[in-house]
Amino acid sequence: MGGNAEQRLAQMGIALPVASAPAAKYANYVIVDGMMYVSGKGPSGHPRGKLGVDFTTEQGYAFARSVAIEVLAVLKDALGSLDHVKRVVKVQGFIHASPDYEEHHKVLNGFSDLMVEVFGDNGSHARSVFGAISLRDQLPVIVDSMFRVEV
């Protein structure tokens, strides 16, 4: 796919929503010295439940992909254009899962895959994924992320 990040999204049929507001008393993002830190975001529709109990890995992948779309909306809102994102640096995923669930990494691929689809090689990033016994509002996935940006 050629073109800039927003053209790639359009080619994929993805329209960015209005960026959501923080769920509590914190900033949606902070930019310091060319780095943008996006607060943890959950999936659209606010599903409730655990991977391995209420949801399959495939559903978790879709949830993580919807989180990526939300994060892209925050980036666009903050920067005016996704072209100001120079690199996806680090992604941390928290997967609300049963104690015996082992496919956390496959769930977070939903987020990672979209970053690479949108930003190409600059979408490849370091990442960590953690299983969580609980998450706010019983969300199945929360992702926080860090980007190198040009402002």
Side-chain angles (χ1 to χ4, degrees), residues 14-20 69-70 73-74:
I14 297 173
L16 294 180
V18 173
S20 65
I69 292 168
E70 171 60 29
V74 171

Side-chain angles (χ1 to χ4, degrees), residues 42-121:
S44 61
H46 307 287
R48 297 171 61 93
K50 290 187 178 199
L51 275 292
V53 176
D54 305 301
F55 302 114
T56 65
T57 298
E58 293 74 21
Q59 289 172 305
Y61 179 98
F63 292 146
R65 190 170 176 91
S66 77
V67 174
I69 292 168
E70 171 60 29
V71 168
L72 291 171
V74 171
L75 291 167
K76 183 168 171 53
D77 182 62
L79 302 170
S81 169
L82 294 179
D83 290 338
H84 295 296
V85 175
K86 298 305 171 190
R87 177 78 195 214
V88 183
V89 176
K90 175 80 189 234
V91 170
Q92 295 183 124
F94 301 88
I95 312 302
H96 186 200
S98 63
D100 59 343
Y101 188 74
E102 296 182 352
E103 296 187 327
H104 307 78
H105 61 293
K106 292 180 181 178
V107 169
L108 193 54
N109 283 346
F111 188 100
S112 296
D113 288 349
L114 187 60
M115 290 297 127
V116 172
E117 290 168 28
V118 171
F119 297 111
D121 290 342

Side-chain angles (χ1 to χ4, degrees), residues 4-21:
N4 68 28
E6 291 172 45
Q7 289 172 333
R8 287 186 192 106
L9 283 171
Q11 290 169 351
M12 289 184 275
I14 297 173
L16 294 180
V18 173
S20 65

